[in-house]
Amino acid sequence: MNKIAVLSLCLIMLGAIAPKAHASSIETRFKELDRNRDGAISKSEAAQEPALWSRFSSYDQDKDGKLSLREFSNYARQ
């Protein structure tokens, strides 16, 4: 019974860590795509990832021609 409790606790802890790890990988990818380091991804920078480039305008919610980290996160979580 004690092994089951330890295993359950480990699984709970992994569940708490997973969303943070995913958010970190999204931010890392955002920084990789943001070649000029201006804090946004332009459509030309998005061309490095064809799936993002082809749907760029649908993720550019404020229609300013660039993706913020929040806007990119919407794409990355799909």
CSV table of all heavy atoms in Angstrom, one decimal, residues 11-42:
chain,number,residue,atom,x,y,z
A,11,LEU,N,2.9,11.0,-9.3
A,11,LEU,CA,2.1,11.4,-10.4
A,11,LEU,C,1.4,12.8,-10.2
A,11,LEU,O,1.3,13.6,-11.2
A,11,LEU,CB,1.0,10.3,-10.7
A,11,LEU,CG,1.6,9.0,-11.2
A,11,LEU,CD1,0.5,8.0,-11.3
A,11,LEU,CD2,2.2,9.2,-12.6
A,12,ILE,N,1.0,13.0,-9.0
A,12,ILE,CA,0.4,14.4,-8.7
A,12,ILE,C,1.4,15.5,-8.9
A,12,ILE,O,1.2,16.5,-9.5
A,12,ILE,CB,-0.2,14.4,-7.3
A,12,ILE,CG1,-1.4,13.5,-7.2
A,12,ILE,CG2,-0.5,15.8,-6.9
A,12,ILE,CD1,-1.9,13.2,-5.8
A,13,MET,N,2.7,15.2,-8.5
A,13,MET,CA,3.7,16.2,-8.6
A,13,MET,C,4.1,16.5,-10.1
A,13,MET,O,4.3,17.6,-10.5
A,13,MET,CB,5.0,15.8,-7.8
A,13,MET,CG,4.7,15.9,-6.3
A,13,MET,SD,6.1,15.2,-5.4
A,13,MET,CE,7.4,16.2,-5.8
A,14,LEU,N,4.1,15.4,-10.9
A,14,LEU,CA,4.4,15.5,-12.3
A,14,LEU,C,3.3,16.3,-13.0
A,14,LEU,O,3.6,17.1,-13.9
A,14,LEU,CB,4.5,14.2,-13.0
A,14,LEU,CG,5.8,13.4,-12.7
A,14,LEU,CD1,5.8,12.0,-13.3
A,14,LEU,CD2,7.0,14.2,-13.3
A,15,GLY,N,2.1,16.1,-12.6
A,15,GLY,CA,1.0,16.9,-13.2
A,15,GLY,C,1.1,18.4,-12.9
A,15,GLY,O,0.7,19.2,-13.7
A,16,ALA,N,1.6,18.7,-11.7
A,16,ALA,CA,1.8,20.1,-11.3
A,16,ALA,C,2.9,20.8,-12.1
A,16,ALA,O,2.9,22.0,-12.4
A,16,ALA,CB,2.0,20.2,-9.8
A,17,ILE,N,3.9,20.0,-12.5
A,17,ILE,CA,5.1,20.5,-13.1
A,17,ILE,C,4.9,20.6,-14.6
A,17,ILE,O,5.4,21.6,-15.3
A,17,ILE,CB,6.3,19.6,-12.9
A,17,ILE,CG1,6.7,19.7,-11.4
A,17,ILE,CG2,7.5,20.0,-13.7
A,17,ILE,CD1,7.7,18.7,-10.9
A,18,ALA,N,4.1,19.7,-15.2
A,18,ALA,CA,4.0,19.7,-16.7
A,18,ALA,C,3.5,21.0,-17.3
A,18,ALA,O,4.1,21.4,-18.3
A,18,ALA,CB,3.0,18.5,-17.1
A,19,PRO,N,2.5,21.7,-16.8
A,19,PRO,CA,2.1,22.9,-17.4
A,19,PRO,C,3.2,24.0,-17.5
A,19,PRO,O,3.3,24.7,-18.4
A,19,PRO,CB,0.9,23.4,-16.6
A,19,PRO,CG,0.3,22.2,-16.0
A,19,PRO,CD,1.6,21.3,-15.8
A,20,LYS,N,4.0,24.0,-16.4
A,20,LYS,CA,5.1,25.0,-16.3
A,20,LYS,C,6.1,24.7,-17.4
A,20,LYS,O,6.7,25.6,-18.0
A,20,LYS,CB,5.7,25.0,-14.9
A,20,LYS,CG,4.8,25.6,-13.9
A,20,LYS,CD,5.4,25.6,-12.5
A,20,LYS,CE,4.4,26.1,-11.5
A,20,LYS,NZ,4.9,25.9,-10.2
A,21,ALA,N,6.4,23.4,-17.5
A,21,ALA,CA,7.4,23.0,-18.5
A,21,ALA,C,6.9,23.3,-19.9
A,21,ALA,O,7.7,23.8,-20.8
A,21,ALA,CB,7.7,21.5,-18.4
A,22,HIS,N,5.6,23.1,-20.2
A,22,HIS,CA,5.1,23.4,-21.5
A,22,HIS,C,5.1,24.9,-21.8
A,22,HIS,O,5.5,25.3,-22.9
A,22,HIS,CB,3.6,22.9,-21.6
A,22,HIS,CG,3.0,23.1,-22.9
A,22,HIS,ND1,3.5,22.4,-24.0
A,22,HIS,CD2,2.0,23.9,-23.3
A,22,HIS,CE1,2.7,22.8,-25.1
A,22,HIS,NE2,1.8,23.7,-24.7
A,23,ALA,N,4.8,25.7,-20.8
A,23,ALA,CA,4.9,27.2,-20.9
A,23,ALA,C,6.3,27.6,-21.2
A,23,ALA,O,6.5,28.5,-22.0
A,23,ALA,CB,4.3,27.9,-19.7
A,24,SER,N,7.3,27.0,-20.5
A,24,SER,CA,8.7,27.3,-20.8
A,24,SER,C,9.1,27.0,-22.2
A,24,SER,O,9.8,27.7,-22.8
A,24,SER,CB,9.5,26.6,-19.7
A,24,SER,OG,10.9,26.8,-20.0
A,25,SER,N,8.6,25.8,-22.7
A,25,SER,CA,9.0,25.4,-24.1
A,25,SER,C,8.4,26.4,-25.1
A,25,SER,O,9.0,26.6,-26.1
A,25,SER,CB,8.7,24.0,-24.3
A,25,SER,OG,7.3,23.8,-24.3
A,26,ILE,N,7.2,26.9,-24.8
A,26,ILE,CA,6.5,27.8,-25.7
A,26,ILE,C,7.3,29.1,-25.7
A,26,ILE,O,7.6,29.7,-26.8
A,26,ILE,CB,5.1,28.1,-25.2
A,26,ILE,CG1,4.2,26.9,-25.5
A,26,ILE,CG2,4.5,29.3,-26.0
A,26,ILE,CD1,2.8,27.0,-25.0
A,27,GLU,N,7.8,29.6,-24.6
A,27,GLU,CA,8.6,30.8,-24.5
A,27,GLU,C,9.9,30.6,-25.2
A,27,GLU,O,10.4,31.5,-25.9
A,27,GLU,CB,8.8,31.2,-23.1
A,27,GLU,CG,9.4,32.6,-22.9
A,27,GLU,CD,9.5,33.1,-21.5
A,27,GLU,OE1,8.8,32.5,-20.6
A,27,GLU,OE2,10.2,34.1,-21.3
A,28,THR,N,10.5,29.5,-25.0
A,28,THR,CA,11.8,29.2,-25.7
A,28,THR,C,11.6,29.2,-27.2
A,28,THR,O,12.4,29.8,-27.9
A,28,THR,CB,12.3,27.8,-25.3
A,28,THR,OG1,12.6,27.8,-23.9
A,28,THR,CG2,13.6,27.4,-26.0
A,29,ARG,N,10.5,28.6,-27.7
A,29,ARG,CA,10.3,28.6,-29.2
A,29,ARG,C,10.0,30.0,-29.7
A,29,ARG,O,10.5,30.4,-30.8
A,29,ARG,CB,9.1,27.6,-29.5
A,29,ARG,CG,8.9,27.5,-31.0
A,29,ARG,CD,10.1,26.9,-31.7
A,29,ARG,NE,9.8,26.8,-33.2
A,29,ARG,CZ,10.7,27.0,-34.1
A,29,ARG,NH1,12.0,27.3,-33.7
A,29,ARG,NH2,10.4,27.0,-35.4
A,30,PHE,N,9.3,30.8,-28.9
A,30,PHE,CA,9.0,32.2,-29.3
A,30,PHE,C,10.3,32.9,-29.4
A,30,PHE,O,10.5,33.6,-30.4
A,30,PHE,CB,8.1,32.8,-28.2
A,30,PHE,CG,7.8,34.2,-28.4
A,30,PHE,CD1,6.7,34.6,-29.2
A,30,PHE,CD2,8.5,35.3,-27.9
A,30,PHE,CE1,6.4,35.9,-29.5
A,30,PHE,CE2,8.2,36.6,-28.1
A,30,PHE,CZ,7.1,36.9,-28.9
A,31,LYS,N,11.2,32.7,-28.5
A,31,LYS,CA,12.5,33.5,-28.6
A,31,LYS,C,13.3,33.0,-29.8
A,31,LYS,O,14.0,33.8,-30.4
A,31,LYS,CB,13.3,33.3,-27.3
A,31,LYS,CG,12.7,34.0,-26.1
A,31,LYS,CD,13.4,33.8,-24.8
A,31,LYS,CE,12.8,34.6,-23.7
A,31,LYS,NZ,13.5,34.3,-22.4
A,32,GLU,N,13.2,31.7,-30.1
A,32,GLU,CA,13.9,31.2,-31.3
A,32,GLU,C,13.4,31.8,-32.6
A,32,GLU,O,14.2,32.2,-33.5
A,32,GLU,CB,13.8,29.7,-31.4
A,32,GLU,CG,14.5,28.9,-30.3
A,32,GLU,CD,14.2,27.5,-30.3
A,32,GLU,OE1,13.3,27.0,-31.1
A,32,GLU,OE2,14.8,26.7,-29.5
A,33,LEU,N,12.1,32.0,-32.7
A,33,LEU,CA,11.5,32.6,-33.9
A,33,LEU,C,11.7,34.1,-34.0
A,33,LEU,O,11.7,34.6,-35.1
A,33,LEU,CB,10.0,32.2,-33.9
A,33,LEU,CG,9.6,30.8,-34.1
A,33,LEU,CD1,8.1,30.5,-33.9
A,33,LEU,CD2,10.1,30.3,-35.5
A,34,ASP,N,11.8,34.7,-32.8
A,34,ASP,CA,12.0,36.2,-32.8
A,34,ASP,C,13.4,36.5,-33.1
A,34,ASP,O,14.2,36.8,-32.2
A,34,ASP,CB,11.5,36.7,-31.4
A,34,ASP,CG,11.7,38.2,-31.3
A,34,ASP,OD1,11.8,38.9,-32.3
A,34,ASP,OD2,11.7,38.7,-30.1
A,35,ARG,N,13.8,36.4,-34.3
A,35,ARG,CA,15.2,36.6,-34.7
A,35,ARG,C,15.8,38.0,-34.4
A,35,ARG,O,17.0,38.1,-34.1
A,35,ARG,CB,15.3,36.3,-36.2
A,35,ARG,CG,15.0,35.0,-36.7
A,35,ARG,CD,16.2,34.1,-36.5
A,35,ARG,NE,15.9,32.7,-36.8
A,35,ARG,CZ,16.5,31.9,-37.6
A,35,ARG,NH1,17.5,32.4,-38.4
A,35,ARG,NH2,16.2,30.7,-37.8
A,36,ASN,N,15.0,39.0,-34.5
A,36,ASN,CA,15.6,40.3,-34.3
A,36,ASN,C,15.4,40.8,-32.8
A,36,ASN,O,15.7,41.9,-32.5
A,36,ASN,CB,14.9,41.4,-35.2
A,36,ASN,CG,13.5,41.6,-35.0
A,36,ASN,OD1,12.9,41.0,-34.1
A,36,ASN,ND2,12.9,42.5,-35.8
A,37,ARG,N,14.9,39.9,-32.0
A,37,ARG,CA,14.8,40.1,-30.5
A,37,ARG,C,14.0,41.4,-30.2
A,37,ARG,O,14.3,42.1,-29.2
A,37,ARG,CB,16.2,40.2,-29.9
A,37,ARG,CG,17.0,39.0,-30.2
A,37,ARG,CD,16.6,37.8,-29.4
A,37,ARG,NE,17.5,36.7,-29.6
A,37,ARG,CZ,17.2,35.6,-30.3
A,37,ARG,NH1,16.0,35.4,-30.8
A,37,ARG,NH2,18.0,34.6,-30.4
A,38,ASP,N,12.9,41.7,-30.9
A,38,ASP,CA,12.1,42.8,-30.6
A,38,ASP,C,10.9,42.5,-29.7
A,38,ASP,O,10.1,43.3,-29.4
A,38,ASP,CB,11.7,43.6,-31.9
A,38,ASP,CG,10.7,42.7,-32.7
A,38,ASP,OD1,10.5,41.5,-32.4
A,38,ASP,OD2,10.1,43.3,-33.7
A,39,GLY,N,10.8,41.2,-29.3
A,39,GLY,CA,9.7,40.8,-28.4
A,39,GLY,C,8.4,40.5,-29.2
A,39,GLY,O,7.4,40.3,-28.5
A,40,ALA,N,8.5,40.3,-30.5
A,40,ALA,CA,7.4,39.9,-31.3
A,40,ALA,C,7.8,39.1,-32.5
A,40,ALA,O,9.0,39.1,-32.9
A,40,ALA,CB,6.6,41.1,-31.8
A,41,ILE,N,6.9,38.3,-33.0
A,41,ILE,CA,7.2,37.5,-34.2
A,41,ILE,C,6.5,38.2,-35.4
A,41,ILE,O,5.3,38.3,-35.4
A,41,ILE,CB,6.8,36.1,-34.0
A,41,ILE,CG1,7.5,35.4,-32.9
A,41,ILE,CG2,7.0,35.3,-35.3
A,41,ILE,CD1,7.0,34.0,-32.5
A,42,SER,N,7.3,38.6,-36.4
A,42,SER,CA,6.7,39.2,-37.6
A,42,SER,C,6.3,38.0,-38.5
A,42,SER,O,6.7,36.9,-38.3
A,42,SER,CB,7.8,40.1,-38.3
A,42,SER,OG,8.8,39.2,-38.8
